[in-house]
Amino acid sequence: MLFRSIRPDPLKTALGLGAWMVALDARLCTEKRIAAAHAAGLHVSAWTVNRTDVALTLRSRGLDSLITDLPTTMVAALRG
């Protein structure tokens, strides 16, 4: 499920509808929200991440995947 705000609650909504994954606006991907999603068994993806510093920060928070317009750049940054 794709979410751009915290209302309605993305995790409760996704779980209530039987989703296995949430795709959150990158600004919603706090360490606490990612941890809560993982505790609930959800895969967490962020969109749209086009800055390498943001990608690295989100990875450090435990993000599972990201959506980007710059896949080559993001792969290089995350592998480096």
Side-chain angles (χ1 to χ4, degrees):
M1 296 197 66
L2 186 71
F3 294 92
R4 77 166 101 192
S5 80
I6 57 170
R7 300 243 184 327
D9 181 275
L11 304 184
K12 287 182 184 177
T13 302
L15 291 169
L17 293 172
W20 62 271
M21 174 186 176
V22 289
L24 304 172
D25 180 304
R27 296 170 291 189
L28 301 179
C29 293
T30 63
E31 190 171 346
K32 182 178 178 180
R33 189 167 286 120
I34 292 170
H38 286 162
L42 293 168
H43 174 101
V44 184
S45 187
W47 59 274
T48 300
V49 181
N50 289 328
R51 291 181 32 198
T52 57
D53 61 322
V54 173
L56 294 169
T57 296
L58 293 174
R59 179 176 65 179
S60 75
R61 293 178 183 171
L63 189 74
D64 298 305
S65 63
L66 58 83
I67 299 163
T68 183
D69 297 321
L70 307 168
T72 303
T73 301
M74 290 300 122
V75 167
L78 293 169
R79 285 189 179 159

